[in-house]
Amino acid sequence: MPRIGPQERRTEQRREQRQALRERILEVSREIVRREGFASLSMRKLAEAIDYSPAALYLHFKSRGDIARALCVEGHASLRDAFLAHTSIADPAARLNAMGRAYVEFGLAEPETYRLMFMEPAESAQPAAEVHDNGKAQAAEPGAATLSLIADAFVELRAADRLPAHAGPLACAEGLWANLHGIVALKLNRAALPETPAATLVELSLDAWFAPANRTEPRFNASNRPDTSTR
Amino acid sequence: MPRIGPQERRTEQRREQRQALRERILEVSREIVRREGFASLSMRKLAEAIDYSPAALYLHFKSRGDIARALCVEGHASLRDAFLAHTSIADPAARLNAMGRAYVEFGLAEPETYRLMFMEPAESAQPAAEVHDNGKAQAAEPGAATLSLIADAFVELRAADRLPAHAGPLACAEGLWANLHGIVALKLNRAALPETPAATLVELSLDAWFAPANRTEPRFNASNRPDTSTR
DNA sequence: GTCTATAGTGTGATAGAC
DNA sequence: GTCTATCACACTATAGAC
């Protein structure tokens, strides 16, 4: 087992250097995207920032879209972390409330990253192709794990009979997700929604999606609801 | 008054020709965007399609974004028409249902146009600058009139006491809009929502947003609800 | 006045020398 | 593994023919 000759050691070193440069590229890319958006991440600018020629980048990423894909995966991991911080909340409705807020906060705090993750024309990043690991094809959809955290909460609501009869838990999860995404997306493009602050919309949306069966119980909205009530 | 010399007539003719060419540019652009998306609408391709040089386009539109803006306005008019077809529905909830469906159908039927209208990075099209007409500045937001149609219905619901007390009509309208937009946006980018069909999500969303106070009454969903019930 | 032709600068990606 | 040089294409802006 400990049969490692000098040659193996050298190739090992090479691999580490290679990995380090790849990491460095990713690091600089992440920062550029965060500050200026993916659209202004050019291979030339990136190459200059890491002091290599543009062609060197293609040794580590097969295309600009490939870099986008990697940053997407990072972003999804970050979002998922924000969700995991609330999994300990026992009440599914309260948990959904916390996660919903976290989702929108993430989107508004990192608009360019969010845009890359969810608002890009699909060609750029999303596909993620098929990633083979240990010989087994992995999920091509990095956001699926995150969605399942929302879906879980709806399953619990369903089990507690706090969901309308005709509403499937998964469908509810996707519906709520669409709602939250819509809030973030419209805010980011400042195309619309000029009147109502995002926090109010989030409250309303969360109310709309799982409050109906919950309405007779005491609500938990006393804590941090913004004072902007209507407009 | 009828003092129109040959010179005036000639300049009149010029103006008509000018307007006609502008219309033609818009026409071809609209079709290219509809089929291939705004991203692949290049000035060169456009110029070739109308048999002029690229520079000629800049005589009629000051930039590519200017064309985008014009197409956006067209799109908003088209969407608004789809909405106006349902204004005759008396019951505000039923009207919202019809309009919500129409909105999503529009987005899914004309994905590229929808993307240009609502999913573009703001710089491209949305601003619409300030359009002066008759010396008065007009609304810079072409979608505002459409939103107001939704808001109106919520105002009626409010007046009929079919809305939760804490929910402002305008906020509800924006929330529902965000929800519908989220459904379309996620579907278009195939980034997510792979499981649930859009029609089901729309039903669920409309239920979520104004069914609570409506739930005791007979629903109107018997007509055209899709048979895919849950997943 | 209207348009052609072209210059100048940017992009992603690649071939081939070292 | 890295670089230089280059291709093909996009956009804007403008000099000058008609």
Side-chain angles (χ1 to χ4, degrees):
Chain A
M1 228 82 108
R3 248 183 184 282
I4 298 181
Q7 185 171 343
E8 282 82 354
R9 197 163 293 153
R10 219 180 303 143
T11 63
E12 174 88 1
Q13 232 175 22
R14 285 276 169 90
R15 283 239 316 234
E16 277 177 20
Q17 281 182 5
R18 199 183 145 77
Q19 194 61 25
L21 182 51
R22 188 190 150 95
E23 210 50 56
R24 192 161 141 58
I25 293 174
L26 231 47
E27 212 171 296
V28 173
S29 300
R30 191 187 317 126
E31 217 46 34
I32 293 179
V33 167
R34 207 177 63 79
R35 291 200 311 253
E36 310 171 36
F38 178 66
S40 80
L41 172 71
S42 79
M43 299 305 259
R44 284 169 152 79
K45 189 192 292 185
L46 178 52
E48 194 179 8
I50 64 168
D51 257 316
Y52 278 89
S53 86
L57 299 172
Y58 292 90
L59 267 308
H60 299 84
F61 296 93
K62 88 174 201 304
S63 74
R64 182 167 167 266
D66 203 28
I67 297 179
R69 231 165 288 134
L71 293 178
C72 256
V73 172
E74 284 189 3
H76 278 290
S78 171
L79 176 58
R80 186 170 163 77
D81 284 348
F83 271 34
L84 287 177
H86 298 117
T87 42
S88 60
I89 300 177
D91 181 60
R95 195 189 321 144
L96 277 176
N97 190 293
M99 287 183 176
R101 286 177 161 281
Y103 184 92
V104 174
E105 275 163 20
F106 174 85
L108 297 182
E110 298 289 349
E112 296 303 338
T113 304
Y114 186 89
R115 183 170 270 130
L116 176 61
M117 290 167 61
F118 295 112
M119 302 168 69
E120 219 61 30
E123 146 269 331
S124 294
Q126 297 304 342
E130 312 161 37
V131 180
H132 289 270
D133 196 12
N134 295 333
K136 189 186 170 189
Q138 285 198 327
E141 188 57 63
T146 308
L147 175 60
S148 76
L149 288 180
I150 297 184
D152 287 348
F154 273 106
V155 169
E156 293 179 46
L157 280 178
R158 183 117 199 70
D161 219 17
R162 293 162 74 185
L163 222 55
H166 63 282
L170 178 56
C172 283
E174 296 191 2
L176 175 59
W177 184 7
N179 198 336
L180 298 173
H181 171 65
I183 293 171
V184 176
L186 289 179
K187 281 289 180 190
L188 288 195
N189 279 358
R190 76 141 183 25
L193 302 183
E195 309 286 348
T196 310
T200 305
L201 288 178
V202 173
E203 283 302 318
L204 270 178
S205 302
L206 291 168
D207 276 14
W209 276 95
F210 57 81
N214 199 20
R215 190 147 291 161
T216 53
E217 311 186 348
R219 300 297 299 283
F220 50 87
N221 56 18
S223 58
N224 50 1
R225 170 172 296 207
D227 50 355
T228 48
S229 61
T230 288
R231 48 160 307 160
Chain B
M1 228 78 114
R3 247 182 184 280
I4 298 181
Q7 185 170 344
E8 282 83 354
R9 196 162 295 152
R10 218 179 306 144
T11 63
E12 174 89 1
Q13 233 173 21
R14 285 277 168 92
R15 283 239 318 230
E16 278 177 19
Q17 281 182 3
R18 199 183 146 79
Q19 193 61 23
L21 182 50
R22 190 191 149 94
E23 209 51 55
R24 193 160 138 62
I25 292 174
L26 231 48
E27 211 171 296
V28 173
S29 301
R30 191 187 316 125
E31 216 47 35
I32 293 180
V33 167
R34 206 177 63 79
R35 290 200 312 253
E36 311 171 36
F38 178 67
S40 79
L41 173 70
S42 79
M43 300 303 258
R44 282 172 152 75
K45 189 192 292 185
L46 178 52
E48 193 179 10
I50 65 168
D51 258 315
Y52 278 90
S53 85
L57 299 172
Y58 292 91
L59 269 310
H60 301 269
F61 296 92
K62 87 173 201 305
S63 73
R64 183 166 165 267
D66 204 28
I67 296 179
R69 229 165 291 134
L71 292 179
C72 256
V73 172
E74 285 189 3
H76 279 289
S78 170
L79 175 58
R80 187 170 163 76
D81 283 349
F83 271 34
L84 287 177
H86 298 117
T87 43
S88 61
I89 300 177
D91 180 61
R95 196 189 321 141
L96 276 176
N97 189 294
M99 286 182 176
R101 287 178 161 281
Y103 184 92
V104 174
E105 274 164 21
F106 174 85
L108 297 181
E110 298 288 349
E112 297 302 339
T113 304
Y114 186 89
R115 182 169 270 131
L116 176 61
M117 289 167 63
F118 294 112
M119 301 168 68
E120 219 62 28
E123 145 268 331
S124 295
Q126 297 303 342
E130 310 161 38
V131 180
H132 289 270
D133 195 12
N134 294 334
K136 188 185 172 188
Q138 286 199 326
E141 188 57 65
T146 307
L147 174 61
S148 76
L149 288 180
I150 297 184
D152 287 348
F154 274 105
V155 169
E156 292 178 45
L157 280 178
R158 183 116 199 73
D161 219 16
R162 292 163 74 186
L163 222 54
H166 62 282
L170 178 55
C172 282
E174 296 191 2
L176 175 59
W177 184 8
N179 198 337
L180 298 173
H181 171 67
I183 293 171
V184 177
L186 288 180
K187 281 287 180 192
L188 288 195
N189 279 358
R190 78 141 180 22
L193 301 184
E195 308 287 349
T196 310
T200 305
L201 288 176
V202 173
E203 284 303 318
L204 271 178
S205 302
L206 292 168
D207 276 14
W209 275 95
F210 57 80
N214 200 20
R215 190 148 290 162
T216 54
E217 309 187 351
R219 301 296 299 278
F220 49 88
N221 56 17
S223 59
N224 50 2
R225 172 174 293 207
D227 50 356
T228 49
S229 61
T230 288
R231 53 156 303 163

